[in-house]
Amino acid sequence: MATISQFIKQRESKYFELVVLKDDIQEFIKSPVETVSIDNLKYQYGFLLREINNIDASIKNIILCQIETAKLDLKNLETQLTMLPQPFHISDLPSYSSIFK
């Protein structure tokens, strides 16, 4: 499984591709060329956006899994702490009235 940093690098790469494609679209609008299809550019743009969304969903999934793991670890730690013998309890202390007799 890829790490978050790898997914972030992939996302940055896709953003760079998106910027280049946007520049290509603007150039096509200024001076259309018969060899370039606006439908193809539109498809590439949509594809890149879907790829970015997929990468973002993967990052979100990894983070949510890490959060759930941390919650379970905290729950286990809490359970272990409650099982430890207590050094003393509040009832072990002398009462207020017995101190000032």
Side-chain angles (χ1 to χ4, degrees):
M1 175 180 260
T3 63
I4 292 175
S5 60
Q6 290 171 334
F7 279 123
I8 290 173
K9 287 178 186 176
Q10 287 178 358
R11 185 177 66 178
E12 289 173 354
S13 171
K14 296 296 178 184
Y15 278 132
F16 182 74
E17 289 178 36
L18 197 62
V19 169
V20 170
L21 183 62
K22 182 181 175 189
D23 186 52
D24 289 346
I25 291 171
Q26 289 174 348
E27 283 295 317
F28 178 79
I29 290 171
K30 288 179 186 174
S31 56
V33 180
E34 289 182 20
T35 57
V36 178
S37 168
I38 191 69
D39 292 331
N40 187 23
L41 293 175
K42 180 181 170 185
Y43 173 77
Q44 287 177 352
Y45 189 79
F47 178 77
L48 285 173
L49 289 178
R50 284 190 303 276
E51 287 290 312
I52 291 170
N53 286 335
N54 289 340
I55 292 170
D56 286 343
S58 298
I59 292 171
K60 179 182 175 183
N61 188 25
I62 289 173
I63 291 172
L64 289 175
C65 288
Q66 289 177 348
I67 289 171
E68 287 301 316
T69 302
K71 283 181 182 178
L72 286 174
D73 289 345
L74 286 174
K75 185 73 172 169
N76 289 338
L77 181 62
E78 181 183 346
T79 304
Q80 290 174 357
L81 287 176
T82 57
M83 293 179 156
L84 289 176
Q86 300 296 327
F88 66 91
H89 194 269
I90 193 74
S91 63
D92 296 336
L93 297 173
S95 66
Y96 180 78
S97 61
S98 67
I99 293 174
F100 294 104
K101 281 188 180 180

